[in-house]
Amino acid sequence: MYTHMPPHARQLMRELQRKGLTEQLAEDIIDSSLTAETTQSHKLLRQEVASALRHRLHAMTPPWKTQRRKVMALVGPTGVGKTTTIAKIATRFVLEQGAENLALITTDSYRIAGHEQLSTLGRILNVPVRVVTEQHSLEQLVRSLSRKKLVLIDTAGLSHKDQVHREQMAMLSAMGAQVQRWLVLSSTSQRRILDRAVNEYKHLNLEGCILTKL
């Protein structure tokens, strides 16, 4: 198998598969990286493979660099780091573009102290924090913050079987293109857990994925 590859390429092929790449993807990347130089050099081949992997990942422009208004909702399972990620993005944005251009929203009004962490962050950064309630819908809150350049929406990480979770997802879906929906995934999770999360949230027409715990 892979007899067309030099020994160091076959070794790297097996390494990529151990790291979780499919056999086909690993073979494609190795094949595209083999040149007259890399066929003779293990070090050069590793560099080419790393470069090929980077080019296959389409990275977003960091939200703190945005010049156009952006409303981002972070969704994902419990414990993946949604609120922590919002804190990091918010802090970078305030440092670069000022607190007056940022607002935070949380849909987590269901758990006791569910939005305490975000409220504390709001006080530290001096930015408004709004909570979705029966009296104040997500659409109303987003509209009321129309002057803000970046609005970050934190969501509750609930089981997809939970009725509140379904209501939350329906609320985000109803916002359509007004809100970008980003799936937050922990890089420490097993492959099957990542696959399950993608399947549970892909109906939201996700903009992309944010990897945490790198």
Side-chain angles (χ1 to χ4, degrees):
M1 192 178 291
Y2 321 123
T3 53
H4 63 289
M5 295 182 182
H8 65 282
R10 292 198 294 272
Q11 177 188 340
L12 189 53
M13 169 95 177
R14 290 190 291 270
E15 185 180 327
L16 290 174
Q17 289 179 262
R18 284 197 301 272
K19 291 181 181 298
L21 273 69
T22 64
E23 181 179 346
Q24 186 61 56
L25 178 57
E27 186 176 9
D28 288 348
I29 288 172
I30 295 287
D31 277 341
S32 67
S33 302
L34 283 172
T35 63
E37 291 78 17
T38 60
T39 299
Q40 303 298 323
S41 169
H42 178 67
K43 182 178 179 181
L44 283 177
L45 180 60
R46 291 188 74 90
Q47 291 173 351
E48 284 299 315
V49 166
S51 177
L53 283 168
R54 280 196 298 272
H55 280 96
R56 286 180 181 239
L57 290 171
H58 303 289
M60 66 185 283
T61 301
W64 52 87
K65 300 287 188 185
T66 186
Q67 296 304 314
R68 298 173 57 189
R69 183 170 189 266
K70 183 177 290 187
V71 182
M72 294 176 62
L74 271 55
V75 300
T78 302
V80 294
K82 294 186 295 295
T83 306
T84 301
T85 300
I86 281 180
K88 291 178 179 180
I89 294 173
T91 302
R92 287 292 297 270
F93 184 86
V94 166
L95 288 172
E96 295 204 13
Q97 303 215 32
E100 68 278 4
N101 291 310
L102 174 70
L104 307 175
I105 296 176
T106 177
T107 65
D108 192 358
S109 59
Y110 314 106
R111 298 176 300 156
I112 297 174
H115 49 83
E116 282 295 316
Q117 193 176 349
L118 211 65
S119 297
T120 301
L121 175 67
R123 288 195 295 272
I124 292 171
L125 296 179
N126 194 30
V127 299
V129 178
R130 302 287 184 262
V131 182
V132 174
T133 63
E134 290 184 2
Q135 292 75 35
H136 301 96
S137 70
L138 179 60
E139 185 175 7
Q140 289 172 328
L141 293 180
V142 169
R143 199 184 312 125
S144 72
L145 298 167
S146 60
R147 293 182 179 275
K148 302 297 182 181
K149 188 178 289 186
L150 178 64
V151 178
L152 298 171
I153 303 171
D154 196 13
T155 61
L158 302 166
S159 167
H160 70 285
K161 298 177 182 178
D162 192 301
Q163 175 62 28
V164 170
H165 172 82
R166 290 195 290 270
E167 291 172 1
Q168 219 178 198
M169 295 305 100
M171 179 170 54
L172 287 171
S173 292
M175 295 296 293
Q178 294 181 69
V179 175
Q180 292 185 356
R181 293 168 282 275
W182 290 84
L183 177 60
V184 181
L185 295 175
S186 168
S187 59
T188 60
S189 298
Q190 295 177 349
R191 173 67 181 266
R192 60 182 178 81
I193 295 174
L194 296 173
D195 286 342
R196 187 170 65 201
V198 170
N199 285 330
E200 287 175 4
Y201 288 93
K202 65 182 180 183
H203 69 280
L204 288 176
N205 295 321
L206 298 166
E207 192 79 17
C209 174
I210 298 176
L211 292 173
T212 62
K213 307 183 184 181
L214 293 169

